[in-house]
mmCIF file of all heavy atoms in Angstrom:
data_model
loop_
_atom_site.group_PDB
_atom_site.id
_atom_site.type_symbol
_atom_site.label_atom_id
_atom_site.label_comp_id
_atom_site.label_asym_id
_atom_site.label_seq_id
_atom_site.Cartn_x
_atom_site.Cartn_y
_atom_site.Cartn_z
ATOM 1 N N VAL J 22 167.275 151.575 149.735
ATOM 2 C CA VAL J 22 167.182 151.321 151.178
ATOM 3 C C VAL J 22 166.643 152.567 151.892
ATOM 4 O O VAL J 22 165.881 152.532 152.864
ATOM 5 C CB VAL J 22 168.523 150.888 151.721
ATOM 6 C CG1 VAL J 22 168.427 150.751 153.260
ATOM 7 C CG2 VAL J 22 168.947 149.537 151.137
ATOM 8 N N LEU J 23 167.065 153.766 151.398
ATOM 9 C CA LEU J 23 166.544 155.029 151.954
ATOM 10 C C LEU J 23 165.024 155.129 151.792
ATOM 11 O O LEU J 23 164.282 155.516 152.702
ATOM 12 C CB LEU J 23 167.222 156.183 151.303
ATOM 13 C CG LEU J 23 166.974 157.587 151.922
ATOM 14 C CD1 LEU J 23 168.212 158.504 151.746
ATOM 15 C CD2 LEU J 23 165.776 158.281 151.287
ATOM 16 N N VAL J 24 164.528 154.678 150.605
ATOM 17 C CA VAL J 24 163.062 154.673 150.346
ATOM 18 C C VAL J 24 162.393 153.700 151.289
ATOM 19 O O VAL J 24 161.267 153.994 151.800
ATOM 20 C CB VAL J 24 162.779 154.343 148.874
ATOM 21 C CG1 VAL J 24 161.318 154.131 148.648
ATOM 22 C CG2 VAL J 24 163.355 155.380 147.923
ATOM 23 N N VAL J 25 163.058 152.569 151.578
ATOM 24 C CA VAL J 25 162.487 151.611 152.518
ATOM 25 C C VAL J 25 162.304 152.293 153.901
ATOM 26 O O VAL J 25 161.265 152.143 154.555
ATOM 27 C CB VAL J 25 163.355 150.368 152.665
ATOM 28 C CG1 VAL J 25 162.871 149.477 153.790
ATOM 29 C CG2 VAL J 25 163.378 149.581 151.364
ATOM 30 N N GLY J 26 163.330 153.060 154.318
ATOM 31 C CA GLY J 26 163.232 153.730 155.587
ATOM 32 C C GLY J 26 162.152 154.790 155.632
ATOM 33 O O GLY J 26 161.403 154.887 156.612
ATOM 34 N N VAL J 27 162.017 155.541 154.522
ATOM 35 C CA VAL J 27 160.946 156.560 154.489
ATOM 36 C C VAL J 27 159.585 155.967 154.519
ATOM 37 O O VAL J 27 158.706 156.424 155.303
ATOM 38 C CB VAL J 27 161.172 157.438 153.242
ATOM 39 C CG1 VAL J 27 159.943 158.356 153.035
ATOM 40 C CG2 VAL J 27 162.412 158.269 153.341
ATOM 41 N N THR J 28 159.320 154.893 153.736
ATOM 42 C CA THR J 28 158.028 154.267 153.750
ATOM 43 C C THR J 28 157.745 153.639 155.135
ATOM 44 O O THR J 28 156.601 153.589 155.592
ATOM 45 C CB THR J 28 157.922 153.196 152.669
ATOM 46 O OG1 THR J 28 158.974 152.211 152.844
ATOM 47 C CG2 THR J 28 157.996 153.786 151.323
ATOM 48 N N GLY J 29 158.827 153.175 155.771
ATOM 49 C CA GLY J 29 158.648 152.642 157.147
ATOM 50 C C GLY J 29 158.225 153.694 158.160
ATOM 51 O O GLY J 29 157.376 153.429 159.034
ATOM 52 N N SER J 30 158.804 154.867 157.981
ATOM 53 C CA SER J 30 158.397 155.979 158.916
ATOM 54 C C SER J 30 156.956 156.381 158.711
ATOM 55 O O SER J 30 156.209 156.699 159.656
ATOM 56 C CB SER J 30 159.318 157.165 158.740
ATOM 57 O OG SER J 30 159.077 157.800 157.462
ATOM 58 N N LEU J 31 156.520 156.371 157.481
ATOM 59 C CA LEU J 31 155.130 156.721 157.139
ATOM 60 C C LEU J 31 154.163 155.639 157.657
ATOM 61 O O LEU J 31 153.089 155.947 158.174
ATOM 62 C CB LEU J 31 154.940 156.870 155.658
ATOM 63 C CG LEU J 31 155.701 158.067 155.016
ATOM 64 C CD1 LEU J 31 155.444 158.098 153.535
ATOM 65 C CD2 LEU J 31 155.326 159.365 155.678
ATOM 66 N N ALA J 32 154.615 154.359 157.566
ATOM 67 C CA ALA J 32 153.758 153.280 158.150
ATOM 68 C C ALA J 32 153.622 153.401 159.642
ATOM 69 O O ALA J 32 152.582 153.201 160.207
ATOM 70 C CB ALA J 32 154.375 151.934 157.744
ATOM 71 N N ALA J 33 154.792 153.758 160.281
ATOM 72 C CA ALA J 33 154.787 153.934 161.746
ATOM 73 C C ALA J 33 153.893 155.112 162.154
ATOM 74 O O ALA J 33 153.173 155.012 163.149
ATOM 75 C CB ALA J 33 156.179 154.162 162.220
ATOM 76 N N LEU J 34 153.880 156.171 161.350
ATOM 77 C CA LEU J 34 153.019 157.313 161.608
ATOM 78 C C LEU J 34 151.532 156.882 161.493
ATOM 79 O O LEU J 34 150.695 157.297 162.340
ATOM 80 C CB LEU J 34 153.311 158.459 160.681
ATOM 81 C CG LEU J 34 152.418 159.731 160.778
ATOM 82 C CD1 LEU J 34 152.610 160.340 162.185
ATOM 83 C CD2 LEU J 34 152.778 160.711 159.722
ATOM 84 N N GLY J 35 151.244 156.111 160.473
ATOM 85 C CA GLY J 35 149.903 155.606 160.367
ATOM 86 C C GLY J 35 149.469 154.734 161.539
ATOM 87 O O GLY J 35 148.303 154.821 161.967
ATOM 88 N N ASP J 36 150.377 153.894 162.034
ATOM 89 C CA ASP J 36 150.086 153.121 163.230
ATOM 90 C C ASP J 36 149.810 153.963 164.438
ATOM 91 O O ASP J 36 148.983 153.611 165.304
ATOM 92 C CB ASP J 36 151.198 152.134 163.517
ATOM 93 C CG ASP J 36 151.309 151.048 162.443
ATOM 94 O OD1 ASP J 36 150.323 150.745 161.811
ATOM 95 O OD2 ASP J 36 152.443 150.558 162.239
ATOM 96 N N THR J 37 150.529 155.092 164.515
ATOM 97 C CA THR J 37 150.351 155.975 165.671
ATOM 98 C C THR J 37 149.060 156.762 165.621
ATOM 99 O O THR J 37 148.337 156.899 166.613
ATOM 100 C CB THR J 37 151.539 157.001 165.758
ATOM 101 O OG1 THR J 37 152.760 156.267 165.899
ATOM 102 C CG2 THR J 37 151.399 157.940 166.937
ATOM 103 N N LEU J 38 148.735 157.291 164.444
ATOM 104 C CA LEU J 38 147.513 158.077 164.294
ATOM 105 C C LEU J 38 146.253 157.304 164.180
ATOM 106 O O LEU J 38 145.168 157.717 164.564
ATOM 107 C CB LEU J 38 147.675 159.041 163.043
ATOM 108 C CG LEU J 38 148.792 160.052 163.072
ATOM 109 C CD1 LEU J 38 148.790 160.861 161.786
ATOM 110 C CD2 LEU J 38 148.619 160.978 164.268
ATOM 111 N N PHE J 39 146.373 156.089 163.631
ATOM 112 C CA PHE J 39 145.185 155.278 163.401
ATOM 113 C C PHE J 39 145.397 153.856 163.935
ATOM 114 O O PHE J 39 145.483 152.883 163.214
ATOM 115 C CB PHE J 39 144.820 155.185 161.900
ATOM 116 C CG PHE J 39 144.724 156.514 161.211
ATOM 117 C CD1 PHE J 39 145.780 156.978 160.466
ATOM 118 C CD2 PHE J 39 143.598 157.300 161.385
ATOM 119 C CE1 PHE J 39 145.725 158.240 159.842
ATOM 120 C CE2 PHE J 39 143.530 158.587 160.759
ATOM 121 C CZ PHE J 39 144.596 159.006 159.961
ATOM 122 N N PRO J 40 145.537 153.726 165.248
ATOM 123 C CA PRO J 40 145.807 152.411 165.864
ATOM 124 C C PRO J 40 144.629 151.444 165.630
ATOM 125 O O PRO J 40 143.493 151.860 165.689
ATOM 126 C CB PRO J 40 146.034 152.736 167.332
ATOM 127 C CG PRO J 40 145.276 153.990 167.542
ATOM 128 C CD PRO J 40 145.382 154.768 166.286
ATOM 129 N N ALA J 41 144.956 150.216 165.423
ATOM 130 C CA ALA J 41 143.975 149.165 165.247
ATOM 131 C C ALA J 41 143.803 148.361 166.531
ATOM 132 O O ALA J 41 144.773 148.195 167.267
ATOM 133 C CB ALA J 41 144.330 148.250 164.068
ATOM 134 N N THR J 42 142.625 147.838 166.797
ATOM 135 C CA THR J 42 142.334 147.050 167.946
ATOM 136 C C THR J 42 142.594 145.575 167.778
ATOM 137 O O THR J 42 142.712 144.858 168.789
ATOM 138 C CB THR J 42 140.885 147.270 168.411
ATOM 139 O OG1 THR J 42 140.026 146.920 167.292
ATOM 140 C CG2 THR J 42 140.629 148.744 168.794
ATOM 141 N N SER J 43 142.717 145.144 166.512
ATOM 142 C CA SER J 43 143.003 143.733 166.262
ATOM 143 C C SER J 43 143.623 143.611 164.893
ATOM 144 O O SER J 43 143.587 144.538 164.086
ATOM 145 C CB SER J 43 141.680 142.877 166.344
ATOM 146 O OG SER J 43 140.836 143.283 165.241
ATOM 147 N N LEU J 44 144.146 142.437 164.616
ATOM 148 C CA LEU J 44 144.791 142.206 163.310
ATOM 149 C C LEU J 44 143.757 142.311 162.211
ATOM 150 O O LEU J 44 144.008 142.881 161.124
ATOM 151 C CB LEU J 44 145.509 140.855 163.284
ATOM 152 C CG LEU J 44 146.322 140.484 162.027
ATOM 153 C CD1 LEU J 44 147.463 141.551 161.840
ATOM 154 C CD2 LEU J 44 146.904 139.107 162.148
ATOM 155 N N GLY J 45 142.563 141.727 162.445
ATOM 156 C CA GLY J 45 141.513 141.833 161.441
ATOM 157 C C GLY J 45 141.086 143.242 161.174
ATOM 158 O O GLY J 45 140.869 143.639 160.024
ATOM 159 N N ALA J 46 140.990 144.024 162.256
ATOM 160 C CA ALA J 46 140.644 145.466 162.076
ATOM 161 C C ALA J 46 141.702 146.191 161.311
ATOM 162 O O ALA J 46 141.399 147.085 160.502
ATOM 163 C CB ALA J 46 140.443 146.103 163.451
ATOM 164 N N ALA J 47 142.972 145.838 161.510
ATOM 165 C CA ALA J 47 144.078 146.468 160.737
ATOM 166 C C ALA J 47 143.983 146.227 159.220
ATOM 167 O O ALA J 47 144.108 147.168 158.480
ATOM 168 C CB ALA J 47 145.412 146.001 161.280
ATOM 169 N N PHE J 48 143.650 144.976 158.870
ATOM 170 C CA PHE J 48 143.516 144.681 157.457
ATOM 171 C C PHE J 48 142.245 145.320 156.862
ATOM 172 O O PHE J 48 142.249 145.792 155.715
ATOM 173 C CB PHE J 48 143.441 143.143 157.248
ATOM 174 C CG PHE J 48 144.759 142.491 157.303
ATOM 175 C CD1 PHE J 48 145.088 141.637 158.333
ATOM 176 C CD2 PHE J 48 145.723 142.661 156.314
ATOM 177 C CE1 PHE J 48 146.318 141.025 158.406
ATOM 178 C CE2 PHE J 48 146.940 142.059 156.363
ATOM 179 C CZ PHE J 48 147.263 141.224 157.396
ATOM 180 N N THR J 49 141.183 145.406 157.685
ATOM 181 C CA THR J 49 140.003 146.134 157.234
ATOM 182 C C THR J 49 140.248 147.575 156.950
ATOM 183 O O THR J 49 139.817 148.131 155.970
ATOM 184 C CB THR J 49 138.867 145.958 158.301
ATOM 185 O OG1 THR J 49 138.590 144.589 158.517
ATOM 186 C CG2 THR J 49 137.630 146.691 157.826
ATOM 187 N N GLN J 50 141.079 148.175 157.826
ATOM 188 C CA GLN J 50 141.456 149.586 157.633
ATOM 189 C C GLN J 50 142.155 149.780 156.305
ATOM 190 O O GLN J 50 141.923 150.741 155.602
ATOM 191 C CB GLN J 50 142.398 150.074 158.764
ATOM 192 C CG GLN J 50 141.702 150.348 160.107
ATOM 193 C CD GLN J 50 142.712 150.832 161.099
ATOM 194 O OE1 GLN J 50 143.875 150.437 161.118
ATOM 195 N NE2 GLN J 50 142.305 151.740 161.976
ATOM 196 N N GLU J 51 143.049 148.865 155.964
ATOM 197 C CA GLU J 51 143.836 149.058 154.761
ATOM 198 C C GLU J 51 143.044 148.990 153.483
ATOM 199 O O GLU J 51 143.417 149.548 152.456
ATOM 200 C CB GLU J 51 144.992 147.996 154.732
ATOM 201 C CG GLU J 51 146.040 148.169 155.822
ATOM 202 C CD GLU J 51 147.231 147.288 155.629
ATOM 203 O OE1 GLU J 51 147.337 146.652 154.533
ATOM 204 O OE2 GLU J 51 148.097 147.221 156.504
ATOM 205 N N PHE J 52 141.868 148.293 153.513
ATOM 206 C CA PHE J 52 141.101 148.116 152.328
ATOM 207 C C PHE J 52 139.804 148.960 152.349
ATOM 208 O O PHE J 52 138.936 148.841 151.512
ATOM 209 C CB PHE J 52 140.761 146.637 152.098
ATOM 210 C CG PHE J 52 141.925 145.801 151.799
ATOM 211 C CD1 PHE J 52 142.543 145.062 152.792
ATOM 212 C CD2 PHE J 52 142.504 145.826 150.518
ATOM 213 C CE1 PHE J 52 143.634 144.257 152.516
ATOM 214 C CE2 PHE J 52 143.582 145.004 150.247
ATOM 215 C CZ PHE J 52 144.189 144.249 151.218
ATOM 216 N N SER J 53 139.668 149.766 153.402
ATOM 217 C CA SER J 53 138.459 150.638 153.534
ATOM 218 C C SER J 53 138.668 151.940 152.833
ATOM 219 O O SER J 53 139.745 152.585 152.953
ATOM 220 C CB SER J 53 138.171 150.873 155.012
ATOM 221 O OG SER J 53 137.086 151.802 155.131
ATOM 222 N N ARG J 54 137.631 152.379 152.024
ATOM 223 C CA ARG J 54 137.734 153.648 151.331
ATOM 224 C C ARG J 54 137.717 154.850 152.267
ATOM 225 O O ARG J 54 138.088 155.963 151.931
ATOM 226 C CB ARG J 54 136.628 153.770 150.323
ATOM 227 C CG ARG J 54 136.728 152.761 149.162
ATOM 228 C CD ARG J 54 135.590 153.031 148.148
ATOM 229 N NE ARG J 54 135.769 152.139 146.983
ATOM 230 C CZ ARG J 54 134.928 152.152 145.943
ATOM 231 N NH1 ARG J 54 133.900 153.012 145.918
ATOM 232 N NH2 ARG J 54 135.103 151.286 144.938
#
């Protein structure tokens, strides 16, 4: 559960630093090199 929390904080940091404009753009970001 601690690992879940840590990965969640990193995901939140990614959302803060690299905000997406749409759901489609968010998925595109995840698969873009």
Side-chain angles (χ1 to χ4, degrees):
V22 175
L23 189 149
V24 174
V25 173
V27 170
T28 56
S30 69
L31 296 179
L34 178 61
D36 291 332
T37 299
L38 296 180
F39 309 101
T42 56
S43 66
L44 186 60
F48 282 111
T49 301
Q50 282 181 328
E51 292 190 10
F52 294 99
S53 174
R54 293 184 177 181

